[in-house]
Amino acid sequence: MRTDRTGHGAPGRGQRAPGRDRGGHGRCRPVPAGGGGAALRPAVPGPAPISRHRAMTGEAVQALLQRLQVLQGERVETYRLFEEGHQAYLSSAPHYDFPRYRQLVHEVTVAFSGISREVLGIAGRLRDELGRPDLAQHLARLQEREQEKLQLTAQLQLARQQAQDQPEVDVHQQEVQELKHKLIKTIEAISEILQDLKYDSEEAE
């Protein structure tokens, strides 16, 4: 056996020197990318959860307000049918078709009750689920004015019939004019509430 200068036996042909691979090169440990084992850069965070929640809440609020617009349109249409029915009723004088008019009043009452229930439901969701008590307060005021409008409309229809039956009584004509004025003021108040509702809902977006 051949010895090297240090006195140790040299490796044979079938043996490999420690620390070398078959190609005679030194064995190297893999180095992580970036060198020095540096930590990976943290990922960029996505949108904050609170922003997504606010966006979803805003969409829910707008959906409810759009439904409110539909309900207000149904109210307008119901009033139109109510007025047409009352005009037909007055035209049946002196033998008024009261059963037909009574049926009309019943149908109108049912329609308005259904609309009011849904509007109150929208107000409840805005207040309790979506954190918008300010908008819910507008709807509460709207309901009060709509109830006032319905009462004034019924009173005006009765006053018109009395004025038609007793045209010589000036007080009936005066009452008709006073009720018309009150009704106009109530309708203007409803319009203002709806404008305030629209403004406050858009301001929060």
Side-chain angles (χ1 to χ4, degrees):
M1 179 175 80
R2 294 184 292 111
T3 60
D4 59 14
R5 294 179 181 178
T6 61
H8 297 287
R13 292 183 177 180
Q15 298 176 340
R16 289 179 295 168
R20 294 182 177 275
D21 57 13
R22 293 181 180 178
H25 302 289
R27 185 176 300 170
C28 299
R29 294 182 179 179
V31 178
L40 296 177
R41 185 176 299 174
V44 178
I50 189 172
S51 298
R52 290 196 297 268
H53 176 72
R54 185 179 293 115
M56 294 176 63
T57 299
E59 291 175 359
V61 169
Q62 291 304 315
L64 290 177
L65 295 183
Q66 288 175 4
R67 178 56 185 165
L68 176 65
Q69 291 180 354
V70 173
L71 292 172
Q72 286 299 111
E74 292 179 2
R75 273 176 165 156
V76 171
E77 178 64 15
T78 302
Y79 272 115
R80 186 185 68 80
L81 296 175
F82 196 18
E83 179 63 21
E84 288 181 356
H86 184 253
Q87 290 295 336
Y89 171 70
L90 292 180
S91 298
S92 65
H95 305 291
Y96 292 109
D97 189 357
F98 184 73
R100 184 174 181 179
Y101 178 68
R102 181 173 56 190
Q103 179 62 27
L104 172 65
V105 171
H106 171 72
E107 293 174 357
V108 167
T109 301
V110 171
F112 281 132
S113 296
I115 294 171
S116 294
R117 281 195 302 270
E118 191 166 351
V119 171
L120 291 175
I122 291 174
R125 288 194 60 190
L126 289 171
R127 180 183 61 250
D128 302 332
E129 299 179 15
L130 300 174
R132 295 304 306 270
D134 55 332
L135 302 185
Q137 184 62 30
H138 287 316
L139 265 61
R141 292 170 51 222
L142 175 66
Q143 282 299 104
E144 292 176 358
R145 289 296 189 175
E146 286 289 355
Q147 183 65 28
E148 180 181 313
K149 178 182 177 182
L150 182 57
Q151 292 175 352
L152 288 172
T153 300
Q155 293 173 7
L156 178 58
Q157 290 184 356
L158 178 60
R160 282 173 172 170
Q161 180 178 346
Q162 292 175 337
Q164 178 173 287
D165 293 342
Q166 298 174 317
E168 71 282 359
V169 181
D170 294 337
V171 67
H172 293 325
Q173 297 293 341
Q174 182 179 353
E175 184 180 9
V176 168
Q177 296 305 316
E178 290 177 353
L179 288 170
K180 282 183 177 180
H181 180 72
K182 290 181 180 180
L183 190 56
I184 290 173
K185 290 296 183 182
T186 300
I187 293 174
E188 291 176 350
I190 290 173
S191 297
E192 291 178 1
I193 293 172
L194 292 175
Q195 281 296 112
D196 291 342
L197 179 65
K198 183 176 183 295
Y199 176 80
D200 289 345
S201 64
E202 291 176 348
E203 188 179 46
E205 291 181 359

